[in-house]
Amino acid sequence: RLSKLANDLVDLSSAQAGKMVIEKCDFDINDLIRESIEVMEPRFKQKSIKVNAIFADEVTIVNADPNKIKRVLQNLIDNAIKFSFNGGEIIVEVEEKNKKVFVHVKDNGKGITKDEMKHVFERFFKADTSRGLDKTGVGLGLSIVKEFINAHGERVEVKDREGGGTEFVFTLTPSGKK
């Protein structure tokens, strides 16, 4: 855990200093999502969480750094698992509109307050309501998500889901190739 924490801090510092190396290439974001879900399958089963992946097209090619985007997906899905109730549902959805690819990660857990939403991407921030639920994290995952997405020149935001839960959505640039 200390090694992971040290690596996360180094990654975060280099991203914030504008020194992060982004190695963009074309890849299928749908495949990366499938891989991320597969890796976390044991954790979904542990909490009896249903996972639903919804893709706009069979293949969605984006131009980004696949290693950085994989970390983004893993952090967002990890959070969704942590804060989902047993027997809950997580939806990972890809849609294309306005010449952008939007990736949504939605859970139907307790959600977060409007005030907490203002701070979720800050280093070491942990919502008061999460202290009992998140026993492993130190509050860096969402900071890493924001910095990695910003380093791509893209956007990430958090929304309250109607009916309960939280939704994170980030943008990527389509490659133009199918």
Side-chain angles (χ1 to χ4, degrees), residues 58-76:
E58 196 171 313
V59 174
T60 304
I61 306 295
V62 296
N63 184 263
D65 183 325
N67 293 318
K68 302 290 188 284
I69 300 306
K70 184 177 190 176
R71 289 265 306 271
V72 166
L73 284 167
Q74 289 174 341
N75 285 349
L76 291 177

Side-chain angles (χ1 to χ4, degrees), residues 68-109:
K68 302 290 188 284
I69 300 306
K70 184 177 190 176
R71 289 265 306 271
V72 166
L73 284 167
Q74 289 174 341
N75 285 349
L76 291 177
I77 294 170
D78 179 64
N79 262 21
I81 293 169
K82 284 179 189 173
F83 301 111
S84 287
F85 300 117
N86 288 345
E89 179 182 30
I90 294 171
I91 299 167
V92 183
E93 181 177 3
V94 176
E95 67 174 335
E96 289 186 69
K97 63 181 180 185
N98 303 326
K99 298 183 181 170
K100 283 289 181 188
V101 172
F102 291 80
V103 180
H104 305 261
V105 178
K106 309 171 191 180
D107 68 59
N108 62 351

Side-chain angles (χ1 to χ4, degrees), residues 11-177:
D11 288 344
L12 202 51
S13 294
S14 69
Q16 289 174 332
K19 295 181 180 175
M20 176 177 288
V21 176
I22 300 292
E23 297 177 12
K24 289 185 176 183
C25 66
D26 292 346
F27 65 94
D28 183 4
I29 188 66
N30 299 350
D31 281 345
L32 198 62
I33 289 168
R34 285 184 197 100
E35 287 173 30
S36 297
I37 289 172
E38 191 176 306
V39 165
M40 296 185 164
E41 189 69 31
R43 298 207 33 233
F44 291 121
K45 287 183 178 179
Q46 189 176 40
K47 289 184 77 173
S48 300
I49 293 173
K50 179 184 170 194
V51 184
N52 194 359
I54 303 168
F55 302 120
D57 291 308
E58 196 171 313
V59 174
T60 304
I61 306 295
V62 296
N63 184 263
D65 183 325
N67 293 318
K68 302 290 188 284
I69 300 306
K70 184 177 190 176
R71 289 265 306 271
V72 166
L73 284 167
Q74 289 174 341
N75 285 349
L76 291 177
I77 294 170
D78 179 64
N79 262 21
I81 293 169
K82 284 179 189 173
F83 301 111
S84 287
F85 300 117
N86 288 345
E89 179 182 30
I90 294 171
I91 299 167
V92 183
E93 181 177 3
V94 176
E95 67 174 335
E96 289 186 69
K97 63 181 180 185
N98 303 326
K99 298 183 181 170
K100 283 289 181 188
V101 172
F102 291 80
V103 180
H104 305 261
V105 178
K106 309 171 191 180
D107 68 59
N108 62 351
K110 185 177 180 180
I112 56 178
T113 68
K114 296 273 186 231
D115 189 51
E116 291 166 343
M117 279 188 198
K118 296 175 194 170
H119 303 285
V120 293
F121 294 110
E122 293 174 9
R123 213 186 259 215
F124 302 115
F125 178 79
K126 290 181 75 167
D128 285 336
T129 57
S130 78
R131 295 190 199 283
L133 297 171
D134 179 11
K135 306 218 185 307
T136 58
V138 294
L140 290 178
L142 293 177
S143 294
I144 289 170
V145 165
K146 183 164 183 71
E147 292 302 328
F148 281 20
I149 294 299
N150 285 349
H152 280 81
E154 300 290 347
R155 296 176 7 146
V156 61
E157 59 183 47
V158 60
K159 304 175 186 179
D160 199 24
R161 284 192 70 200
E162 210 171 294
T166 306
E167 174 180 357
F168 286 88
V169 60
F170 64 92
T171 60
L172 293 171
T173 300
S175 75
K177 298 176 186 174

